[in-house]
């Protein structure tokens, strides 16, 4: 199964069709409900009702970002993270990808593993920040203020069409991922020096046209965690070290809007994702997330 075309994809890279169909059905019901409302009722919509519609719009937008690619780096049990000549990019750490909820990594024994061990996690970050719509769709404040339900119904239609389109895009990308995986399973032998987990991860990213080349604070973060100093200020941003999710969310609320550098924003989103995963694994210090809709907007704002 690990070396057979189509069977590999059907076994390990299957899309969650029930999930997609559920979102599509809910969107169609929402659109029908808003379209059927008389104009008089649309104009009498209260501010609270408008706010609820907008919150749901942001929730649907977040759910529609189906093809999500995340990179993770983990500590090896037998080596301290450090830079060596043949591990010059990420150092002596294990590397892998999580694509659409499926963990893909290549090592001495296995290829596809169902989960990530957060206790050994150094990084868990989005590689792609794909915008569903251009900024102009979200920036038309006048249209939202004058005709909120018509505006939101139109956004719902766009989301509905986008989800349908993602199926084709995703299938195409999954074919490319499958090809790399099968090539490694049939032809490659693991070599710590020149063909390892990091080589495999880069080949996958190259196949689907993604790059991970951090700058600014994110680059500084990568240097810290891959050179063995990850335990000192794991969630450090400039001169601030965050000790809890509450402290982190408060800082981001105060400073995110004034942050102009894209990679600095990506680091804050990376921290949020890592904290959320740690919270889901039982560490109450790092959750719950303060405002999911607000974070969805921040993710959408990053190119």
């Amino acid at each position: 199964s690990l070396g057979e075309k189509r069977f590999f994809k059907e076994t390990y890279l299957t899309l969650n069709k029930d999930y997609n169909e559920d979102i599509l059905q809910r969107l169609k019901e929402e659109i029908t409900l808003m379209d059927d409302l008389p104009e008089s009722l649309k104009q009498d919509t209260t501010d609270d009702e408008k706010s609820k519609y907008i919150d749901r719009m942001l929730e649907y937008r977040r759910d529609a970002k189906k093809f999500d690619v995340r990179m993770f780096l983990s500590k090896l049990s037998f080596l301290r993270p450090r830079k060596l000549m043949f591990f010059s990019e990420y150092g002596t750490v294990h590397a892998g990808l999580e694509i659409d909820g499926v963990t893909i990594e290549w090592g001495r024994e296995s290829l596809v593993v169902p989960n990530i061990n957060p206790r050994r996690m150094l990084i868990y970050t989005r590689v792609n920040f794909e915008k569903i719509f251009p900024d102009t769709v979200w920036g038309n404040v006048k249209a939202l203020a004058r005709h909120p339900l018509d505006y939101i119904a139109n956004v719902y239609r766009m989301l509905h069409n986008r989800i349908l389109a993602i199926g084709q895009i995703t299938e195409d990308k999954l074919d490319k991922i499958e090809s790399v995986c099968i090539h490694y399973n049939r032809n490659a032998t693991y070599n710590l020096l020149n063909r390892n987990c990091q080589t495999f991860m880069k080949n996958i990213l190259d196949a689907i046209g993604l790059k991970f080349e951090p700058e600014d604070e994110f680059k500084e973060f990568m240097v810290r965690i891959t050179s063995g100093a990850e335990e000192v200020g794991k969630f450090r941003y400039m001169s601030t070290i965050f000790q809890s999710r509450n402290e982190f969310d408060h800082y981001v609320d105060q400073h995110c809007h004034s942050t102009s550098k894209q990679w600095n924003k990506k680091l804050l989103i990376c921290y949020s994702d890592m904290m959320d995963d740690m919270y889901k694994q039982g560490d109450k210090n790092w959750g719950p997330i303060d405002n999911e809709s607000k974070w969805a907007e921040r993710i959408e704002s990053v190119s």
Side-chain angles (χ1 to χ4, degrees):
S1 65
L2 292 178
E4 294 181 25
K5 195 170 179 60
R6 289 189 297 278
F7 190 84
F8 180 93
K9 187 174 73 173
E10 291 170 3
T11 305
Y12 298 106
L13 302 175
T14 53
L15 299 174
N16 190 335
K17 294 181 180 178
D18 292 337
Y19 174 81
N20 269 351
E21 288 171 3
D22 177 57
I23 295 177
L24 291 170
Q25 183 61 36
R26 283 187 287 142
L27 279 169
K28 283 194 284 189
E29 290 173 359
E30 295 264 21
I31 292 167
T32 301
L33 179 64
M34 285 186 280
D35 284 347
D36 289 346
L37 280 175
E39 285 299 321
S40 58
L41 289 180
K42 288 183 180 181
Q43 297 302 321
D44 290 338
T45 305
T46 67
D47 289 340
D48 283 345
E49 288 172 330
K50 292 177 188 176
S51 179
K52 289 177 182 177
Y53 276 117
I54 292 170
D55 284 344
R56 284 211 294 276
M57 180 175 71
L58 294 172
E59 181 183 343
Y60 284 131
R61 180 182 63 175
R62 184 173 63 251
D63 289 345
K65 294 174 77 68
K66 193 72 181 76
F67 192 79
D68 207 2
V69 180
R70 299 172 190 256
M71 181 179 83
F72 65 90
L73 301 179
S74 300
K75 289 180 283 188
L76 297 170
S77 58
F78 57 93
L79 278 176
R80 182 175 68 89
R82 56 180 175 169
K83 294 292 181 71
L84 297 174
M85 183 176 65
F86 45 85
F87 282 123
S88 58
E89 188 165 5
Y90 299 120
T92 52
V93 299
H94 178 62
L97 297 170
E98 184 189 68
I99 301 175
D100 196 18
V102 177
T103 303
I104 299 178
E105 54 186 344
W106 191 68
R108 298 181 181 186
E109 297 178 357
S110 61
L111 179 66
V112 179
V113 179
N115 63 349
I116 299 166
N117 183 351
R119 297 183 183 278
R120 295 171 60 187
M121 190 187 339
L122 295 171
I123 184 175
Y124 177 61
T125 187
R126 300 163 198 263
V127 182
N128 64 324
F129 286 82
E130 296 182 9
K131 293 188 177 186
I132 291 183
F133 305 120
D135 291 335
T136 51
V137 175
W138 306 105
N140 196 344
V141 179
K142 290 182 179 179
L144 179 60
R146 291 174 183 169
H147 307 287
L149 296 193
D150 288 340
Y151 177 89
I152 292 171
N154 186 47
V155 172
Y156 281 178
R157 288 188 188 92
M158 295 176 75
L159 281 168
H160 184 275
N161 294 336
R162 172 65 175 172
I163 293 169
L164 289 176
I166 279 177
Q168 299 303 314
I169 296 170
T170 303
E171 288 290 349
D172 176 61
K173 290 180 178 177
L174 291 179
D175 285 339
K176 295 176 181 178
I177 293 166
E178 180 191 46
S179 294
V180 176
C181 293
I182 288 175
H183 171 76
Y184 267 76
N185 284 334
R186 286 181 173 178
N187 306 300
T189 302
Y190 186 90
N191 186 299
L192 188 64
L193 302 184
N194 55 32
R195 191 187 292 112
N196 51 54
C197 58
Q198 295 182 25
T199 314
F200 170 75
M201 182 182 73
K202 186 178 185 307
N203 289 163
I204 292 284
L205 292 178
D206 287 345
I208 56 178
L210 292 176
K211 292 183 178 180
F212 182 70
E213 298 173 343
E215 301 171 5
D216 303 315
E217 284 298 308
F218 209 127
K219 186 175 181 179
E220 293 297 318
F221 167 64
M222 292 296 296
V223 170
R224 290 198 302 273
I225 65 171
T226 57
S227 62
E230 83 286 345
E231 299 300 337
V232 181
K234 187 170 186 178
F235 293 119
R236 180 192 295 273
Y237 183 77
M238 297 185 181
S239 59
T240 303
I241 299 175
F242 305 109
Q243 304 295 339
S244 68
R245 177 83 211 205
N246 184 58
E247 181 183 323
F248 172 70
D249 281 334
H250 179 72
Y251 179 93
V252 176
D253 285 342
Q254 296 293 315
H255 299 283
C256 190
H257 65 281
S258 61
T259 302
S260 60
K261 294 183 176 180
Q262 294 291 291
W263 275 103
N264 288 358
K265 291 181 179 180
K266 290 181 181 183
L267 178 58
L268 294 174
I269 292 167
C270 170
Y271 282 171
S272 177
D273 287 344
M274 291 177 69
M275 290 176 186
D276 193 43
D277 196 68
M278 292 166 72
Y279 173 69
K280 290 174 180 176
Q281 298 295 328
D283 191 337
K284 302 302 182 184
N285 189 51
W286 299 110
I289 192 169
D290 179 47
N291 188 317
E292 290 192 11
S293 295
K294 195 180 291 184
W295 278 102
E297 290 183 75
R298 288 166 183 158
I299 293 166
E300 184 72 20
S301 72
V302 175
S303 61

